[in-house]
Amino acid sequence: MRHEKLPNKLFFGLIKFHMKILYSIIVILVTVYPPSAKAESCTHIPDSECEALYALYNATNGDEWRNSDNWLSSKSVSTWYGITIDLGHVVEISLNNNGLTGPLPPELGNLSSLQYLSLGNNHSLGNIPPELSNLPNLKEILIWDSDLTGSIPKELGNLKYLKTLDLSSNSLSGTIPPELGNLWRLEYLYLGENDLTGSIPTHLTNPEYLRSFYLSKNDLTGPIPPEFGELKHLEWLSLHSNRLEGNIPSQLGKMGKLESLDLHSNNLTGSIPPNLGNLSELYWLNLSSNSLNGPIPGALGNLPRLWYLRLNSNSLSGELPAFLNTTSIDMDLRWNCLYSSDPVVLATVEKRHSGGFLSTQTISPKNVTSVTMKSSGKEENRIMVSWNPITYIDDEGGYQLFYRKGSQPGYEYYDMTADKKTVSILISDLEQGAEYSFYVNTVTRPHPDNKNELQSSNSNPASAVSGFLSRAFIPIWKQAPEYFTGVVAANFGNSDFDLDLAAYGPNGVIEPNGHNHRVISAGWQMSKLGWELFHGDPYHEGFSWIELKAENSNKMGSIFLYGVSDTQMLDGAEAQSTYAKKLYFTRPLDEGFFAGWGPKIQMCIVNPTDEEATVNCTLIGSSGESTTTHTIPSKGFITGNSADLVKPDHGIVDGFMEIETTGAPGVIGFSRIEFPGVRTALGMDAVQATASNKFYSAQLAHGMNIVTNLRLVNTSRITRSVTLSAIGDDGTELANPVIVEIPAKRIFNADMGTILGLEGNGVVTTGSLVIEADGNGIIGDIIFANGDTLEYAMALPLQKKLFTEAVFNHIANLPSVFTGFAFYNPGDEYVLIFLEAFGTNGQKVAEKTLILDPGERISRTLTDPDMWPDFPTQSGGYIKIQSSHPIAGQQLFGDRSLRYMAAIPPTTRLEAMFD
């Protein structure tokens, strides 16, 4: 066989290939064993340990260490910075704060004699090598604040001689390995300030010689293991800033050597165990920022060394224990429900306290009283409950009022004030001649200093007997040429009542011929024009207000309607039955009022009480504030636009008006709104701000030029986040909920179709509106109209209270006029709604039961085919409404050609309305 020579190209190609392999081997060798490393540099320790040190240096960027003296030199390893040698082995590595950057190498597991590994305060050291478990003599691992990542290797549980494990202030994640409980010689465990999750393994309480245990600032959940109580040598237990829950185990009171217990900023509940008073060595106790309740145990006074006590930001309540009458304790008890009847203890606590004590405690108001209101010497069926405000008026909250009639079992919730400055609540429409009892407590909403909602204990009880006089107020009446005001009063009770009507002028004097007396029979209704009741002629150029008084019955419902003679300008409202110290006009300015239309606004503020009222009218807007003070005599009123009530040059835009009263028990307010050149009118009540944070409108419509305009006012002192939800007639969402932020003391104005992205182009979308704020202080209203012509414009306040019994006070079923209604079920259960319609003489003319599934809405007219298609022609009468669960609802009157409409809320009552 003949041998042939390889071609030159192939020959030299093979040589180049082998040279590349040889070069790669050389590079690897140089990397692992740099040229500067000489064999004699590691002659005093085993090669495996020398390799581990070189690996540590190279993996953590040793050339950039702050101090790398003698590393990788020919000098003895014992001279290398941070290395300690004993009997020819590396026993300690101490490179804290030395600029190490890079992952820890697994070769550290070759240092079989290593006892101390200290690498704290370095950078990006990566995962903890499980190979550390190969170091049987290791006593301390100190790798704190070094950007460790990953989980804690369960293999560390094999280090049976380990006394200290400090992995704190890193980015470790995952759960704590229960195998760490096998470290029975462990004395110091520091795993705090990481991202550890899960519960605290019970096995961690196995090492009986534990002296310090630090798991704070993680994301741990679950309970505190009661087995901690068996750690007889524990001196420091710190579990703060996690999400631990459940009670504080009473077994902790067995840790006789404990000096510091820090459990703050968790979700712990229950009371403070009294047997913590057995911890005779305890000097530091921090249980703040939890949800602990009950009193401060007096047994804590048995702690002779206690000097640091933090119990703030919980739900603790009750009397301060006597042991706090000492100057030796640095304490913080803020944002609880604590009080003291001992002025000496109180004075000491205030002196030693971190920040004010009384100014942060949610306690019950003092001196609660109840007074039956009077009008012209006659006692009314309304009671004013008053109290002294507490010192703590900062942070949001208010006073809750509870009532009980007679000897009924238990108290029922009535209402809550919008803030902790308010000192009274007027309760109206009470059963006549009945005794009522009341108590008040204080509520503070969650805030940055306390995640809990706090509720104080109940105040002293107060009681009063309601009188026999029912009053309602029609806040504005005008009967000029072509103008009318209609007054409706319905008796939906079972007995007749006398009705006195009086029309008052601005000075509080009854107008000439301004008095009328009627008897309203049981079940009957009166519907009259103002000139039919007063003066005897259709002309009344100025404004007045009308008072309706009925004795021996609280079953009166009343509304009023106003407009022009051809009824094209029409709107109305429910007659008001209560008055308040503070009210708000949501739309007091013509600029930006609604859809670019600038109206003529006539606001009226009425003092229906027997006392003179001092009223501050304040316009508040994006351009500032402006205030003017007025005096209103008893039964008098003031009227005018924003320039009249404040001042002509107020300069306020995008604003609302606040009405605050002193002197008299309260006032009422109403806006009469007309649009020059357009045959449209609106009526809007001034409203109170309460603690309600959820509101409803049973009417929402968009499309075919229909505009639904929403005005919200944030009367509170902080920004509110408000969620707007549009619910279709079938209970499904019409659009994704929209969240808006409303700054403190500012308004929000929006076309609902635009902000919700509802479909237009000839499609009419109908439904309900639900508004939910993240706190109290929101008020508002809603206007519906044809956006191009303002036809059928109507206004409604947002509904804050749902009802199960109500009355629509007027029916108009005529060839040119219809009556409609809408109901919305916001609950989670289906609702049965029973409707009964009556004529003016009390005769029942129709009845119907409706069924609404959760979230559903129904909107009907009286004569719809599925309602009462044969409903009689009548102008007058009313509708009783009874529902199996709370609902929202409203009534509509309108022209059948939709030139005009009026929207009016129903009459509701505190007590049951029907027998």
Side-chain angles (χ1 to χ4, degrees):
M1 183 174 181
R2 187 165 61 93
H3 296 279
E4 297 181 355
K5 294 179 70 174
L6 291 173
N8 288 338
K9 285 187 177 181
L10 179 58
F11 175 78
F12 287 108
L14 289 173
I15 293 177
K16 289 174 68 177
F17 175 75
H18 286 90
M19 288 296 291
K20 285 183 178 180
I21 294 176
L22 181 60
Y23 177 79
S24 299
I25 294 173
I26 292 172
V27 169
I28 293 172
L29 291 174
V30 169
T31 302
V32 178
Y33 300 106
S36 59
K38 297 183 179 179
E40 59 267 20
S41 68
C42 286
T43 55
H44 298 93
I45 62 174
D47 289 346
S48 60
E49 295 185 22
C50 184
E51 293 173 5
L53 295 181
Y54 277 115
L56 176 62
Y57 185 89
N58 291 320
T60 60
N61 199 17
D63 290 343
E64 300 296 328
W65 289 0
R66 289 189 177 91
N67 191 333
S68 58
D69 290 352
N70 297 332
W71 272 76
L72 310 189
S73 71
S74 59
K75 294 183 179 181
S76 172
V77 175
S78 62
T79 68
W80 292 11
Y81 173 76
I83 300 298
T84 300
I85 303 295
D86 185 37
L87 300 178
H89 292 279
V90 178
V91 295
E92 179 176 352
I93 298 177
S94 182
L95 296 173
N96 294 329
N97 193 28
N98 202 41
L100 278 69
T101 303
L104 295 176
E107 287 85 350
L108 290 177
N110 296 335
L111 300 170
S112 57
S113 298
L114 192 67
Q115 300 179 32
Y116 303 97
L117 177 62
S118 186
L119 303 175
N121 196 20
N122 284 293
H123 309 290
S124 304
L125 295 189
N127 294 349
I128 301 171
E131 289 79 3
L132 294 183
S133 63
N134 298 332
L135 308 179
N137 298 304
L138 204 56
K139 296 179 180 179
E140 291 187 3
I141 299 178
L142 308 174
I143 317 180
W144 42 272
D145 196 12
S146 294
D147 298 325
L148 289 174
T149 57
S151 58
I152 300 173
K154 63 181 181 180
E155 291 83 357
L156 297 185
N158 297 330
L159 300 173
K160 61 181 180 180
Y161 290 106
L162 197 68
K163 292 185 176 182
T164 301
L165 178 60
D166 188 351
L167 304 175
S168 60
S169 302
N170 285 292
S171 299
L172 296 170
S173 59
T175 59
I176 301 173
E179 287 81 1
L180 297 186
N182 298 332
L183 304 174
W184 64 275
R185 287 185 171 89
L186 197 64
E187 297 181 18
Y188 303 95
L189 179 61
Y190 302 109
L191 303 179
E193 301 184 55
N194 279 288
D195 299 316
L196 299 173
T197 57
S199 59
I200 300 174
T202 303
H203 285 68
L204 288 188
T205 62
N206 288 345
E208 60 176 305
Y209 295 103
L210 266 176
R211 298 176 60 186
S212 188
F213 193 103
Y214 181 76
L215 294 181
S216 300
K217 296 186 178 180
N218 279 289
D219 196 24
L220 300 172
T221 56
I224 298 174
E227 289 81 0
F228 274 119
E230 305 302 321
L231 298 175
K232 306 299 184 184
H233 301 278
L234 197 64
E235 299 172 357
W236 188 286
L237 178 58
S238 181
L239 305 175
H240 72 78
S241 303
N242 281 288
R243 292 191 292 131
L244 300 174
E245 56 195 19
N247 296 343
I248 298 175
S250 59
Q251 290 87 338
L252 300 189
K254 297 162 59 178
M255 296 184 291
K257 292 188 177 181
L258 195 66
E259 298 178 2
S260 176
L261 178 60
D262 196 341
L263 307 178
H264 81 263
S265 301
N266 279 290
N267 297 323
L268 300 174
T269 55
S271 59
I272 300 174
N275 63 0
L276 294 185
N278 299 335
L279 303 174
S280 58
E281 299 298 316
L282 195 72
Y283 67 87
W284 183 290
L285 179 60
N286 191 343
L287 306 178
S288 64
S289 299
N290 281 288
S291 298
L292 300 171
N293 54 40
I296 299 175
L300 296 185
N302 300 330
L303 303 175
R305 298 185 60 201
L306 185 65
W307 68 267
Y308 185 89
L309 178 64
R310 294 293 184 269
L311 302 177
N312 53 289
S313 306
N314 278 287
S315 298
L316 299 174
S317 60
E319 181 93 15
L320 293 176
F323 79 85
L324 293 176
N325 183 25
T326 175
T327 59
S328 62
I329 300 177
D330 181 353
M331 68 185 78
D332 189 347
L333 309 175
R334 290 176 293 176
W335 302 299
N336 281 292
C337 302
L338 300 166
Y339 63 92
S340 178
S341 56
D342 187 335
V344 177
V345 173
L346 186 60
T348 303
V349 169
E350 285 283 8
K351 181 178 179 181
R352 292 290 298 170
H353 203 259
S354 296
F357 173 73
L358 277 179
S359 61
T360 59
Q361 299 304 311
T362 301
I363 58 176
S364 60
K366 305 298 182 185
N367 301 322
V368 175
T369 60
S370 54
V371 176
T372 305
M373 303 303 293
K374 293 183 179 181
S375 175
S376 303
K378 293 187 176 181
E379 291 188 334
E380 302 180 57
N381 67 332
R382 65 184 97 220
I383 295 174
M384 180 76 77
V385 181
S386 305
W387 54 85
N388 294 342
I390 68 173
T391 304
Y392 178 27
I393 60 175
D394 291 333
D395 297 319
E396 293 197 325
Y399 302 101
Q400 291 186 130
L401 177 63
F402 295 82
Y403 74 97
R404 179 178 67 183
K405 184 177 72 174
S407 59
Q408 289 179 345
Y411 283 76
E412 296 183 53
Y413 172 79
Y414 176 70
D415 204 355
M416 178 176 166
T417 64
D419 53 48
K420 288 182 281 187
K421 295 179 182 179
T422 305
V423 294
S424 63
I425 292 180
L426 178 66
I427 306 178
S428 300
D429 300 317
L430 295 169
E431 182 178 320
Q432 295 174 327
E435 182 177 14
Y436 286 86
S437 300
F438 309 94
Y439 70 78
V440 182
N441 60 32
T442 310
V443 172
T444 300
R445 301 296 192 196
H447 55 90
D449 292 309
N450 195 334
K451 62 188 175 184
N452 303 297
E453 178 166 299
L454 300 185
Q455 182 170 311
S456 75
S457 58
N458 298 333
S459 71
N460 63 283
S463 62
V465 177
S466 66
F468 289 85
L469 178 64
S470 297
R471 297 172 72 205
F473 317 116
I474 295 174
I476 198 166
W477 169 46
K478 182 180 181 181
Q479 202 75 32
E482 296 187 0
Y483 281 80
F484 77 89
T485 299
V487 178
V488 173
N491 178 358
F492 51 83
N494 296 321
S495 59
D496 301 351
F497 63 71
D498 291 340
L499 178 64
D500 278 311
L501 301 99
Y504 291 91
N507 57 2
V509 177
I510 295 180
E511 299 273 41
N513 301 315
H515 184 268
N516 194 293
H517 178 83
R518 301 268 171 162
V519 175
I520 310 297
S521 300
W524 285 49
Q525 183 218 51
M526 178 202 75
S527 176
K528 298 289 183 182
L529 294 175
W531 66 268
E532 295 179 285
L533 297 171
F534 311 116
H535 300 296
D537 64 67
Y539 303 117
H540 178 50
E541 293 288 349
F543 287 98
S544 298
W545 74 275
I546 300 173
E547 178 185 48
L548 295 84
K549 297 194 291 189
E551 294 199 52
N552 302 314
S553 177
N554 68 335
K555 304 296 185 182
M556 177 178 67
S558 179
I559 67 170
F560 65 100
L561 296 167
Y562 67 87
V564 295
S565 55
D566 65 0
T567 67
Q568 192 167 339
M569 286 175 54
L570 177 71
D571 208 355
E574 181 188 11
Q576 300 182 29
S577 61
T578 189
Y579 38 83
K581 288 278 193 177
K582 186 179 288 188
L583 293 170
Y584 297 91
F585 286 110
T586 55
R587 299 179 191 248
L589 303 171
D590 55 359
E591 181 183 355
F593 183 88
F594 166 69
W597 296 90
K600 177 182 177 182
I601 302 173
Q602 195 76 16
M603 290 172 282
C604 187
I605 303 171
V606 177
N607 174 14
T609 74
D610 289 341
E611 301 175 45
E612 183 179 85
T614 300
V615 175
N616 293 322
C617 298
T618 304
L619 276 173
I620 305 170
S622 57
S623 56
E625 297 185 10
S626 182
T627 302
T628 297
T629 301
H630 302 270
T631 299
I632 307 178
S634 169
K635 305 294 180 70
F637 67 90
I638 57 175
T639 186
N641 59 23
S642 62
D644 300 324
L645 296 182
V646 182
K647 57 184 179 181
D649 57 347
H650 57 69
I652 305 301
V653 296
D654 301 324
F656 61 97
M657 185 181 290
E658 179 182 84
I659 309 298
E660 189 161 17
T661 307
T662 58
V667 296
I668 61 177
F670 185 79
S671 293
R672 180 188 175 108
I673 300 154
E674 299 175 10
F675 294 85
V678 181
R679 305 286 280 178
T680 296
L682 293 174
M684 306 183 75
D685 288 324
V687 296
Q688 297 184 56
T690 70
S692 299
N693 68 336
K694 200 165 188 178
F695 306 89
Y696 307 90
S697 173
Q699 179 71 36
L700 173 69
H702 175 76
M704 295 288 289
N705 295 323
I706 300 175
V707 174
T708 299
N709 180 262
L710 174 68
R711 168 70 60 93
L712 298 177
V713 177
N714 179 7
T715 67
S716 73
R717 294 175 293 171
I718 64 173
T719 297
R720 283 278 172 247
S721 179
V722 181
T723 302
L724 310 177
S725 300
I727 311 299
D729 292 345
D730 62 356
T732 61
E733 290 185 342
L734 291 174
N736 292 328
V738 173
I739 299 176
V740 296
E741 301 290 326
I742 309 177
K745 303 291 184 178
R746 293 293 181 266
I747 67 169
F748 170 79
N749 202 73
D751 167 42
M752 295 308 298
T754 300
I755 195 170
L756 293 170
L758 301 180
E759 187 177 1
N761 299 325
V763 176
V764 177
T765 302
T766 61
S768 305
L769 180 63
V770 180
I771 299 170
E772 187 164 12
D774 62 353
N776 59 325
I778 294 294
I779 57 176
D781 57 62
I782 196 164
I783 293 178
F784 312 94
N786 182 308
D788 293 335
T789 64
L790 274 190
E791 288 182 323
Y792 57 79
M794 51 186 171
L796 275 171
L798 294 175
Q799 191 169 337
K800 68 176 183 179
K801 285 187 177 180
L802 305 174
F803 60 83
T804 56
E805 294 184 347
V807 170
F808 288 150
N809 287 288
H810 191 60
I811 294 173
N813 185 43
L814 301 171
S816 62
V817 181
F818 74 92
T819 296
F821 51 80
F823 296 116
Y824 167 57
N825 174 17
D828 297 327
E829 302 180 59
Y830 77 89
V831 168
L832 296 177
I833 304 174
F834 181 54
L835 305 179
E836 297 174 282
F838 295 85
T840 56
N841 59 358
Q843 180 183 2
K844 186 189 293 189
V845 296
E847 65 178 42
K848 182 81 171 181
T849 299
L850 305 175
I851 301 176
L852 285 184
D853 286 332
E856 278 192 338
R857 168 188 177 269
I858 189 171
S859 178
R860 294 289 187 270
T861 67
L862 296 179
T863 57
D864 278 349
D866 57 349
M867 281 300 300
W868 299 308
D870 298 324
F871 197 90
T873 298
Q874 65 183 63
S875 180
Y878 57 92
I879 298 176
K880 285 184 177 181
I881 308 157
Q882 297 181 75
S883 172
S884 61
H885 294 87
I887 57 174
Q890 65 187 47
Q891 182 180 15
L892 303 174
F893 301 105
D895 172 65
R896 294 190 185 275
S897 61
L898 295 184
R899 294 175 303 162
Y900 61 84
M901 275 196 285
I904 301 177
T907 292
T908 60
R909 289 287 188 267
L910 172 67
E911 300 288 348
M913 299 180 67
F914 314 122
D915 298 329

